[in-house]
Amino acid sequence: MNSLVAQGLLLTLSGRPVLSGLDFTLAAGEFVVLAGPNGAGKSTLLRALARLRSPAAGRLLLDGDDLGRMSRETHARRVAYLPQAATVRWPLRLDHLVALGRLPHRTAKGWDAAADAQAIARALADMALAGLAERRVDTLSGGEVARALLARALAVEGEVSLLDEPVAALDPLHQLATMQRLRARACAGRMVLAVLHDLTLASRFADRVLLLAGGRLLADGPPAVALSDANLASAFGIVAERGARGGSAYLLPWEAAPMHGPPPCR
């Protein structure tokens, strides 16, 4: 089974430890959410997995191969990355922007035009953008641009998708549709790791949650376990309201835990 493994990972910023002693495994077919408070190191971890930051210690292995020793070309084909708050500076057509996700598959020998066209069409359809394919990106709304950038990452069709806050700019309908699509992506055999601040969406759609806090991995498990009352209080200082609908459990961040602030006005 395909896997992405972190062993004893230490990540630093300006020589200061941000995350230490990280050990976890992502398996093919999993939709994993990376959660934690602001400054917990979520984006730093994703950048390390995307090979944009080198670990100070530890190893990252993709199917047993050291990620740091993998050629850039191979890594770009196997691992897709969507940075946080990504922007577009050029007046490209939307479908041309999405087509940039296919660049890692083009070699000196050329490329498979049919495969590229199919991958681009799938990514556009997945993000409900087919009707906007010929529009210039600079004429789109912020949410439409966010979906276009996610479509570009999906068009890579890599084994691993690393997505930093992929639904932050989306309206509720497109948030739900995107979460369903990412879960379907995982069910098709790929690894999906997404940073989310929306714990309600994480609790409903994720197979697992990696919860970062205090410079370490506080919890790793199904949402009901990783997002327990004790872990929510420890990591975020909040109390959640819980429920279920249609057989699916969910939680709503409800209020600050007693030790983290005064009671709300009534």
Side-chain angles (χ1 to χ4, degrees), residues 89-100:
R89 305 292 184 184
W90 320 284
L92 292 174
R93 268 179 35 164
L94 190 154
D95 55 349
H96 293 173
L97 172 65
V98 175
L100 294 177

Side-chain angles (χ1 to χ4, degrees), residues 230-242:
N231 287 341
L232 291 180
S234 177
F236 298 102
I238 63 169
V239 174
E241 188 73 16
R242 299 177 187 273

Side-chain angles (χ1 to χ4, degrees), residues 73-130:
E73 294 78 11
T74 298
H75 183 273
R77 286 192 295 271
R78 300 182 69 182
V79 180
Y81 172 59
L82 174 70
Q84 181 182 10
T87 58
V88 181
R89 305 292 184 184
W90 320 284
L92 292 174
R93 268 179 35 164
L94 190 154
D95 55 349
H96 293 173
L97 172 65
V98 175
L100 294 177
R102 300 302 299 170
L103 288 178
H105 298 275
R106 300 188 179 188
T107 69
K109 297 180 180 179
W111 60 88
D112 187 333
D116 284 351
Q118 291 168 6
I120 293 164
R122 280 192 291 268
L124 289 169
D126 284 350
M127 298 312 302
L129 291 170

Side-chain angles (χ1 to χ4, degrees), residues 2-265:
N2 295 341
S3 64
L4 178 60
V5 179
Q7 297 177 339
L9 207 60
L10 170 63
L11 300 174
T12 62
L13 288 174
S14 302
R16 177 181 61 87
V18 176
L19 292 168
S20 60
L22 289 189
D23 293 283
F24 61 84
T25 298
L26 306 180
E30 282 191 310
F31 180 17
V32 180
V33 164
L34 185 59
N38 294 148
K42 302 181 297 296
S43 294
T44 299
L45 176 55
L46 235 61
R47 286 175 61 84
L49 297 174
R51 288 187 59 184
L52 298 175
R53 178 173 294 280
S54 299
R59 293 202 303 166
L60 290 168
L61 306 172
L62 181 56
D63 297 342
D65 297 328
D66 191 318
L67 215 60
R69 297 181 179 180
M70 190 176 293
S71 74
R72 291 288 180 182
E73 294 78 11
T74 298
H75 183 273
R77 286 192 295 271
R78 300 182 69 182
V79 180
Y81 172 59
L82 174 70
Q84 181 182 10
T87 58
V88 181
R89 305 292 184 184
W90 320 284
L92 292 174
R93 268 179 35 164
L94 190 154
D95 55 349
H96 293 173
L97 172 65
V98 175
L100 294 177
R102 300 302 299 170
L103 288 178
H105 298 275
R106 300 188 179 188
T107 69
K109 297 180 180 179
W111 60 88
D112 187 333
D116 284 351
Q118 291 168 6
I120 293 164
R122 280 192 291 268
L124 289 169
D126 284 350
M127 298 312 302
L129 291 170
L132 300 177
E134 297 183 4
R135 285 269 301 275
R136 270 180 29 178
V137 177
D138 57 344
T139 70
L140 302 178
S141 71
E144 289 167 340
V145 171
R147 284 156 53 205
L149 290 167
L150 178 52
R152 180 182 66 179
L154 297 180
V156 177
E157 298 200 329
E159 299 156 50
V160 185
S161 294
L162 307 173
L163 312 172
D164 201 344
E165 298 193 39
V167 300
L170 305 186
D171 62 45
L173 174 62
H174 287 105
Q175 285 186 342
L176 292 171
T178 297
M179 293 297 288
Q180 290 168 341
R181 179 49 54 192
L182 295 180
R183 185 165 180 82
R185 202 88 171 177
C187 289
R190 292 184 170 88
M191 291 173 258
V192 179
L193 178 63
V195 171
L196 288 185
H197 283 293
D198 191 321
L199 300 182
T200 304
L201 292 176
S203 68
R204 181 177 174 190
F205 289 98
D207 296 307
R208 285 167 54 213
V209 173
L210 302 180
L211 180 60
L212 301 178
R216 64 189 180 93
L217 183 58
L218 179 63
D220 175 0
V225 175
L227 300 178
S228 66
D229 290 344
N231 287 341
L232 291 180
S234 177
F236 298 102
I238 63 169
V239 174
E241 188 73 16
R242 299 177 187 273
R245 179 169 178 174
S248 296
Y250 64 86
L251 67 83
L252 298 173
W254 197 253
E255 60 187 7
M259 68 290 289
H260 288 274
C265 296

